[in-house]
Every structure is written in C-alpha cells, then in structure tokens.
Amino acid sequence: MHHRILVTGFDCFGEHGHNTSQAIVEALAARNDPRFSCRVLPTSFQRAGALIESWIETEQLGAVVMLGLAAKAGALRLERFAQNRDSSASADNDGESRAEAPIVQAAPKAYASTLPLERFAAAVRSLGTPVELSLSAGGFVCNHVYYRARHAVELGNLRIPCGFLHVPATRPGQLEPWLGAVTECLGVLAAAIE
Ligand code: PCA
C-alpha cells in the first residue's frame, strides 16, 4: 500500500457562497478511494497555513494536490509557482488581510510546482476540457497555503510531488467538467508515483 495523496479544497469566502474546490473534494471523498485523503481547509491564512504544514510534517504523504476557487477563471489553472508574498486587499474568513508581506522570512522568493503539470495539461486537453498553465496563484490564501506546503516539503526533504490547481466558479450542484478534469490529473499522478 502506497502513501496517500492528500487532496485539499477550500470553504466559502468573501462573496462566494459556493466553492467549487470544496464541492470537488467532497465528491472525491464520497468515492472512498484509498489512494486519496480528501480534506477541506478554512479560507484563513493562519489556520489553513498551520493545518497544511502539520499534515505534511506528520503524515507520510505520497503527494499533495491543493485545489482552490479562481472565480474569474474559465479553465483549469495549473499553478506553476508559489510566491513568498501575501498581497491581498480582501479579508479571509477570520477578517485578516495581508498587504505585501513575505510569508516565510529568509526563504526562496518562489517555489515551482513539483506536480507533472505538462502531463496534467495533456490529459485534461484530451478530455476536451479547457486547461491552462498559470504563472501566479495570486496573493490571497491559496498562494499562501501553496507556499507553506512547498516550503514544508523542502524543509522536511520529502521529495514528494506537491502543487496547486485553481478551478473556475460553478453553480451549486454543477461539478463537471472540473471534477472529471481533476480526477484525470489525480489518476496521472497516482500512476506516476506507484
Ligand atoms: N480561493 C482563494 C482562497 C480560497 C479559494 O478557494 C484564492 O484563490 O486565494
């Protein structure tokens, strides 16, 4: 039995009464696939950052795939980089906003994704689902959690695939084509780390 792939999404925040990433993670969890460990993070810099770090440090994970909502996206966004900077005017679910602050002092400016993003893109494209590579995951909680996760993987010398995918907004109950696209990526990843 191999180490599990941690798959996370986020709860609702700001004006978004529905978070596609949460709905996808809940749908994946309902499949009871032993390869995946599916969890929803609070949209909170502090709480989500601490949670992702402690899971990576204490669980023997095989990989980490984080999902978040990008309300304006029209495609699955494969995030190439996590940047060492919080920069957001909007408040998180604890009322906190962070303007132009480094996430971790004296740490790299950015980490690259260690997920096989080119293979993800090819697999999703072959489903006919829009997919794009993105250079910035923004300056809000998603980028924050992505950076904290990648930093924890580096500090622990874990050498596991770890990265972030943004999904577009959907109406409640509408999961496709994004659930199918994420399922495809997870299948590619699970096969790659077997
Ligand atoms: N999207 C936000 C935070 C939570 C989420 O789902 C973001 O892109 O930072």
Side-chain angles (χ1 to χ4, degrees):
M1 175 67 206
H2 271 270
H3 299 311
R4 286 187 183 217
I5 298 174
L6 174 64
V7 187
T8 67
F10 283 98
D11 67 357
C12 298
F13 64 97
E15 80 245 34
H16 308 292
H18 172 72
N19 192 322
T20 313
S21 71
Q22 172 171 11
I24 288 174
V25 163
E26 288 173 352
L28 289 169
R31 291 178 185 164
N32 291 313
D33 186 327
R35 296 175 297 170
F36 307 120
S37 179
C38 304
R39 296 181 206 158
V40 176
L41 286 163
T43 302
S44 151
F45 286 103
Q46 271 196 5
R47 289 183 290 139
L51 281 168
I52 199 83
E53 271 178 11
S54 78
W55 293 339
I56 290 170
E57 285 163 8
T58 62
E59 302 180 20
Q60 305 236 300
L61 299 169
V64 181
V65 178
M66 294 158 281
L67 307 173
L69 171 68
K72 289 182 192 135
L76 179 69
R77 275 192 195 158
L78 313 180
E79 300 294 350
R80 275 197 195 279
F81 299 107
Q83 295 170 72
N84 190 5
R85 146 197 115 324
D86 289 323
S87 148
S88 175
S90 30
D92 70 7
N93 288 351
D94 297 332
E96 187 181 1
S97 59
R98 297 187 180 188
E100 293 305 326
I103 296 169
V104 182
Q105 298 289 343
K109 271 202 159 21
Y111 286 115
S113 177
T114 49
L115 295 174
L117 295 185
E118 305 294 346
R119 274 187 279 166
F120 283 9
V124 173
R125 216 171 278 128
S126 72
L127 295 174
T129 300
V131 58
E132 62 196 22
L133 285 145
S134 162
L135 298 179
S136 169
F140 193 42
V141 179
C142 287
N143 175 73
H144 182 89
V145 165
Y146 183 10
Y147 190 89
R148 298 266 301 258
R150 282 291 290 107
H151 190 64
V153 166
E154 293 299 314
L155 283 190
N157 210 1
L158 298 176
R159 297 160 205 269
I160 55 170
C162 173
F164 200 102
L165 317 180
H166 263 122
V167 291
T170 55
R171 284 187 306 280
Q174 185 208 336
L175 288 166
E176 298 304 345
W178 315 115
L179 173 60
V182 169
T183 300
E184 193 69 15
C185 295
L186 292 174
V188 166
L189 180 61
I193 65 175
E194 242 165 40

